[in-house]
Amino acid sequence: MQSAKRIQELPPYLFAEIDKKIAKAKAAGVDIISLGMGDPDRPTPAHIVRGLQVAAEDPKTHRYPVYEGTLAFREAVAGWYERTRGVELDPVSEIVALIGSKEGIAHISLCYVDPGDINLIPDPGYPAYSTGTMFAGGKSYKMPLVAGRDFLPDLSVIPHDIAKQAKLMFLNYPNNPTGAVAPKGFFEDVVAFAREYDIIVCHDAAYSEVAFEDFRPLSFLEIEGAKDVGIEFHSLSKTYNMTGWRLGWAAGNKNVIEALARVKSNIDSGVFTAVQSAGIEALNGPQDSVEAMRKLYAERRDIVVEGLRYLGWELEKPRATIYVWAPVPPGYTSTEFASLLLEEAGVVVTPGIGYGQYGDGYFRISLCVDKERIEAAIERLKDAGIRYDTDRQAL
Ligand SMILES: *Cc1c(COP(=O)(O)O)cnc(C)c1O
């Protein structure tokens, strides 16, 4: 049986070749250090786990959940926005619970995109923006994120006719994979652009709490007029080490939230009520785990950046996210360089091409491993003679 075009059109799995090499190295007994996965390594804080345990004991949580999320969870989200960002939201009409933010990101195109419609997508970017677009029959217009523009898309170069046809614009700051952050002026330009062309902005704020020193990223919803033009996707995954729990939300424009809730009610039946109770514990409970998480990643980031600088890289320290985005040495594609690190040093990084063509000059290091392993990875690069300025022929 032929699979549907939407399956056939999925981008090829770019890491297949590297995965094969990893499997081979592991089989040969090589101790691989994987800096690939963006999946927090520390456990979910204990009070949140207890929140699930208590709620799961209550048979009331065992039946179908309220599709759009319990009122208590949505109130906790509204309270969190109010406390952390000064943003006021109506928990009933402006917030919907998601089975992780990826679920909402993948489904939002079904609400607004008809076959042939266009979405504006950052490149490099989180793959769910473009696959969700394609599943709805839409086309992605890629907005390049380049170092010279601080990895912010240049709205002024989007052709007028493309902007006029565009339905959604996906943005993500703090950004995966580049670690970039967005200043207020950029978001203000986005609101004006979205108004002019009647585009819905979908801001993915998964890393808004993973920010270092005194830097606190803006919520898109803090921008004047943002609620008129868009929504923000959010997640407990990175803030509270809850990637396995599948709990997130979308908040903002009530028409968009209503449309998303309507599509979802026809596909899934919401998030396990006990998981939402744990989410309330996370949002309303003590936040010292969040501060500890920031310190932990900042320390690991410093080891990575200082290590790479010692090896010839010129790098700024990212102000947020769990990633370091670094250029590959001249003469390599991102896949070639990732293969080199694996073969010569037993270190796995993610080649930038996995996030789009504009990612190709880069590789991504994830900070989700112990600092001892990160230090060991840097030592291995030193020992293997891998430097930013290494002559490719010499290796
Ligand atoms: C990790 C991540 C998410 C969060 O996904 P969940 O489904 O909430 O676990 C969303 N967007 C980006 C860019 C991410 O890296």
Side-chain angles (χ1 to χ4, degrees):
M1 176 104 58
Q2 272 279 346
S3 55
K5 287 200 187 69
R6 71 179 63 84
I7 300 260
Q8 294 168 29
E9 282 173 18
L10 280 172
Y13 182 60
L14 284 152
F15 307 133
E17 203 182 321
I18 288 193
D19 282 354
K20 257 190 242 157
K21 287 182 184 165
I22 294 170
K24 208 172 131 196
K26 278 190 180 154
V30 179
D31 170 32
I32 298 281
I33 301 179
S34 180
L35 306 176
M37 287 281 278
D39 187 355
D41 55 310
R42 292 294 163 106
T44 306
H47 68 282
I48 303 174
V49 178
R50 271 197 299 279
L52 173 73
Q53 285 168 341
V54 171
E57 298 268 1
D58 179 354
K60 285 207 286 292
T61 67
H62 300 174
R63 308 190 70 190
Y64 282 117
V66 180
Y67 285 176
E68 62 272 23
T70 63
L71 183 59
F73 176 69
R74 288 178 295 153
E75 282 172 345
V77 170
W80 180 88
Y81 263 108
E82 169 81 58
R83 280 194 307 281
T84 67
R85 298 298 191 284
V87 171
E88 272 187 46
L89 290 162
D90 172 18
V92 174
S93 62
E94 295 180 320
I95 297 170
V96 62
L98 299 172
I99 310 170
S101 58
K102 184 181 188 180
E103 179 260 305
I105 289 166
H107 283 144
I108 188 69
S109 288
L110 295 177
C111 305
Y112 290 99
V113 174
D114 283 319
D117 284 347
I118 288 173
N119 284 345
L120 306 174
I121 313 261
D123 179 347
Y126 187 59
Y129 311 140
S130 49
T131 48
T133 302
M134 190 267 280
F135 281 169
K139 294 189 195 122
S140 294
Y141 179 86
K142 297 295 175 72
M143 303 183 291
L145 307 186
V146 298
R149 292 191 50 85
D150 298 331
F151 301 106
L152 299 166
D154 186 352
L155 304 178
S156 73
V157 301
I158 299 170
H160 182 68
D161 61 315
I162 296 284
K164 266 171 55 183
Q165 290 177 66
K167 295 293 173 74
L168 308 178
M169 174 190 282
F170 286 95
L171 293 171
N172 166 221
Y173 294 98
N175 184 261
N176 174 12
T178 67
V181 299
K184 190 170 187 200
F186 170 74
F187 281 142
E188 288 169 345
D189 292 348
V190 167
V191 170
F193 185 87
R195 262 195 220 288
E196 183 181 352
Y197 290 106
D198 193 21
I199 291 169
I200 295 166
V201 177
C202 298
H203 182 242
D204 177 354
Y207 297 96
S208 75
E209 307 314 295
V210 190
F212 310 125
E213 286 86 36
D214 293 329
F215 177 63
R216 289 296 164 267
L218 283 169
S219 159
F220 177 66
L221 301 179
E222 284 177 72
I223 307 304
E224 208 183 313
K227 242 201 246 181
D228 300 335
V229 299
I231 61 170
E232 186 156 82
F233 288 103
H234 221 301
S235 170
L236 284 85
S237 287
K238 312 296 167 27
T239 312
Y240 302 104
N241 304 336
M242 290 176 74
T243 49
W245 296 59
R246 313 315 303 136
L247 182 59
W249 69 78
N253 185 277
K254 66 176 192 299
N255 298 323
V256 181
I257 295 299
E258 194 273 335
L260 182 54
R262 199 134 46 97
V263 162
K264 278 174 55 57
S265 71
N266 285 281
I267 295 177
D268 60 68
S269 298
V271 178
F272 180 26
T273 305
V275 167
Q276 296 185 58
S277 297
I280 295 169
E281 292 297 321
L283 295 171
N284 289 347
Q287 300 296 303
D288 32 323
S289 71
V290 180
E291 198 42 52
M293 170 274 293
R294 291 176 182 133
K295 292 214 167 75
L296 179 78
Y297 290 129
E299 189 184 13
R300 294 172 179 179
R301 171 203 65 174
D302 291 350
I303 296 168
V304 169
V305 171
E306 281 155 23
L308 288 177
R309 282 178 183 163
Y310 179 81
L311 294 172
W313 267 266
E314 274 177 37
L315 277 184
E316 298 281 329
K317 288 184 179 174
R319 301 171 73 193
T321 78
I322 54 178
Y323 308 111
V324 172
W325 183 244
V328 299
Y332 289 92
T333 67
S334 61
T335 317
E336 286 167 350
F337 187 65
S339 295
L340 178 83
L341 291 189
L342 176 60
E343 280 159 8
E344 302 292 323
V347 172
V348 175
V349 298
T350 311
I353 184 82
Y355 304 96
Q357 71 175 103
Y358 288 90
D360 197 22
Y362 294 84
F363 62 102
R364 193 192 76 174
I365 286 180
S366 154
L367 303 174
C368 296
V369 295
D370 282 347
K371 70 173 186 181
E372 289 75 20
R373 293 292 273 173
I374 295 178
E375 280 162 354
I378 297 287
E379 281 307 314
R380 288 191 193 181
L381 264 57
K382 275 183 206 164
D383 293 346
I386 293 168
R387 293 181 52 86
Y388 179 70
D389 43 18
T390 306
D391 181 354
R392 158 154 214 202
Q393 309 309 325
L395 279 164

Coordinates of all heavy atoms in Angstrom, one line a residue, residues 38 99-103 105 126 129 172 176 204 206-207 234-238 243 246-248 323, ligand 1:
G38 N 18.3 17.5 23.1 CA 17.8 18.7 23.9 C 16.7 18.2 24.9 O 15.5 18.5 24.8
I99 N -1.0 18.9 24.9 CA -0.3 17.6 25.2 C 1.2 17.9 24.9 O 1.8 17.2 24.0 CB -0.8 16.4 24.5 CG1 -2.4 16.4 24.6 CG2 -0.2 15.1 25.0 CD1 -3.1 15.4 23.7
G100 N 1.8 18.8 25.6 CA 3.1 19.3 25.2 C 2.9 20.4 24.1 O 2.0 20.3 23.3
S101 N 3.8 21.4 24.1 CA 3.6 22.4 23.1 C 3.7 21.9 21.7 O 3.1 22.5 20.7 CB 4.5 23.6 23.4 OG 5.8 23.3 23.4
K102 N 4.5 20.9 21.5 CA 4.7 20.4 20.1 C 3.4 20.0 19.5 O 3.1 20.2 18.3 CB 5.6 19.2 20.2 CG 6.0 18.6 18.8 CD 6.9 17.4 19.0 CE 7.4 16.9 17.7 NZ 8.3 15.7 17.9
E103 N 2.5 19.4 20.3 CA 1.2 19.0 19.8 C 0.4 20.2 19.3 O -0.1 20.1 18.1 CB 0.4 18.3 21.0 CG -1.0 17.9 20.6 CD -2.0 18.9 21.1 OE1 -2.1 19.2 22.3 OE2 -2.8 19.3 20.3
I105 N 1.7 23.1 18.3 CA 2.4 23.6 17.2 C 2.1 22.8 15.9 O 1.9 23.4 14.8 CB 4.0 23.6 17.5 CG1 4.3 24.6 18.5 CG2 4.8 23.8 16.2 CD1 5.7 24.5 19.2
Y126 N 12.8 24.7 14.6 CA 12.2 23.4 15.2 C 11.4 22.8 14.1 O 10.5 23.4 13.5 CB 11.3 23.9 16.4 CG 10.8 22.8 17.2 CD1 11.6 21.9 17.9 CD2 9.4 22.8 17.4 CE1 11.0 20.9 18.7 CE2 8.8 21.8 18.3 CZ 9.7 20.9 18.9 OH 9.1 20.0 19.8
Y129 N 7.3 23.1 13.0 CA 6.6 24.2 12.3 C 6.3 23.9 10.8 O 5.2 24.1 10.3 CB 7.5 25.5 12.3 CG 8.0 25.9 13.6 CD1 9.3 26.4 13.8 CD2 7.3 25.8 14.8 CE1 9.9 26.8 15.0 CE2 7.8 26.2 16.0 CZ 9.1 26.6 16.1 OH 9.6 27.0 17.3
N172 N 10.4 31.8 17.5 CA 10.8 31.0 18.7 C 12.0 31.7 19.3 O 13.1 31.6 18.8 CB 11.2 29.6 18.2 CG 11.9 28.8 19.2 OD1 12.9 28.0 18.9 ND2 11.6 28.9 20.5
N176 N 15.7 27.8 19.6 CA 16.3 26.6 19.3 C 16.4 26.5 17.8 O 15.4 26.6 17.2 CB 15.4 25.4 19.9 CG 15.9 24.0 19.5 OD1 17.1 23.9 19.1 ND2 15.1 23.0 19.7
D204 N 6.7 30.6 19.9 CA 7.1 29.4 20.7 C 8.1 29.8 21.8 O 9.2 30.2 21.5 CB 7.7 28.4 19.7 CG 8.2 27.1 20.4 OD1 8.2 27.0 21.7 OD2 8.6 26.2 19.7
A206 N 9.2 28.1 24.5 CA 9.6 26.9 25.3 C 10.7 27.2 26.2 O 10.8 26.6 27.3 CB 9.9 25.7 24.4
Y207 N 11.6 28.2 25.8 CA 12.8 28.4 26.6 C 12.8 29.7 27.4 O 13.8 30.2 27.9 CB 14.1 28.4 25.7 CG 14.3 27.0 25.1 CD1 13.8 26.7 23.8 CD2 14.9 26.0 25.8 CE1 13.9 25.5 23.3 CE2 15.0 24.7 25.3 CZ 14.5 24.5 24.0 OH 14.7 23.2 23.5
H234 N 3.6 27.5 25.0 CA 4.5 27.4 26.2 C 4.5 25.9 26.7 O 3.6 25.1 26.3 CB 4.1 28.3 27.3 CG 5.2 29.0 27.9 ND1 6.2 28.2 28.5 CD2 5.6 30.3 28.0 CE1 7.1 29.1 29.0 NE2 6.8 30.3 28.7
S235 N 5.4 25.6 27.5 CA 5.6 24.2 27.9 C 6.2 24.1 29.3 O 7.0 25.0 29.7 CB 6.6 23.6 26.9 OG 7.0 22.4 27.3
L236 N 5.9 23.1 30.0 CA 6.6 22.9 31.3 C 7.8 22.0 31.1 O 8.6 21.8 32.0 CB 5.6 22.2 32.2 CG 4.6 23.1 32.8 CD1 3.4 23.3 31.9 CD2 4.1 22.7 34.2
S237 N 8.0 21.6 29.8 CA 9.1 20.6 29.6 C 10.5 21.1 30.0 O 11.2 20.3 30.7 CB 9.2 20.3 28.1 OG 8.1 19.5 27.7
K238 N 10.9 22.3 29.6 CA 12.3 22.7 29.9 C 12.4 23.4 31.2 O 13.4 23.3 31.9 CB 12.8 23.6 28.7 CG 12.5 23.1 27.3 CD 13.2 21.8 27.0 CE 12.8 21.1 25.7 NZ 12.2 21.7 24.6
T243 N 9.8 16.9 30.2 CA 9.6 16.6 28.8 C 8.8 15.3 28.7 O 8.0 15.2 27.7 CB 10.9 16.4 28.0 OG1 11.8 15.5 28.8 CG2 11.7 17.7 27.8
R246 N 4.4 15.5 29.0 CA 3.5 16.1 27.9 C 2.5 17.0 28.5 O 1.3 16.7 28.6 CB 2.8 14.9 27.1 CG 3.7 13.8 26.7 CD 5.1 14.2 26.1 NE 4.9 15.1 24.9 CZ 5.7 16.2 24.8 NH1 6.6 16.6 25.7 NH2 5.5 17.0 23.7
L247 N 3.0 18.2 28.8 CA 2.1 19.3 29.3 C 2.6 20.6 28.8 O 3.7 21.0 29.1 CB 1.9 19.2 30.8 CG 1.0 20.2 31.4 CD1 -0.5 20.1 30.9 CD2 1.0 20.1 33.0
G248 N 1.7 21.3 28.1 CA 2.0 22.7 27.7 C 0.7 23.5 27.6 O -0.3 23.0 28.0
Y323 N 21.4 25.3 24.6 CA 22.2 25.0 23.5 C 23.3 26.0 23.3 O 23.2 27.2 23.6 CB 21.3 25.0 22.2 CG 20.1 24.1 22.3 CD1 18.8 24.7 22.4 CD2 20.2 22.8 22.4 CE1 17.7 23.9 22.5 CE2 19.1 22.0 22.6 CZ 17.9 22.5 22.6 OH 16.8 21.7 22.8
Ligands
LIG1 C1 11.6 21.5 23.5 C2 10.9 22.4 22.6 C3 9.5 22.6 22.7 C4 8.7 21.9 23.8 O1 8.1 20.8 23.3 P1 7.1 20.1 24.3 O2 6.2 19.4 23.3 O3 6.3 21.1 25.1 O4 7.8 19.1 25.1 C5 8.9 23.4 21.8 N1 9.6 24.2 20.9 C6 10.9 24.1 20.8 C7 11.6 24.9 19.9 C8 11.6 23.2 21.7 O5 12.9 23.0 21.5

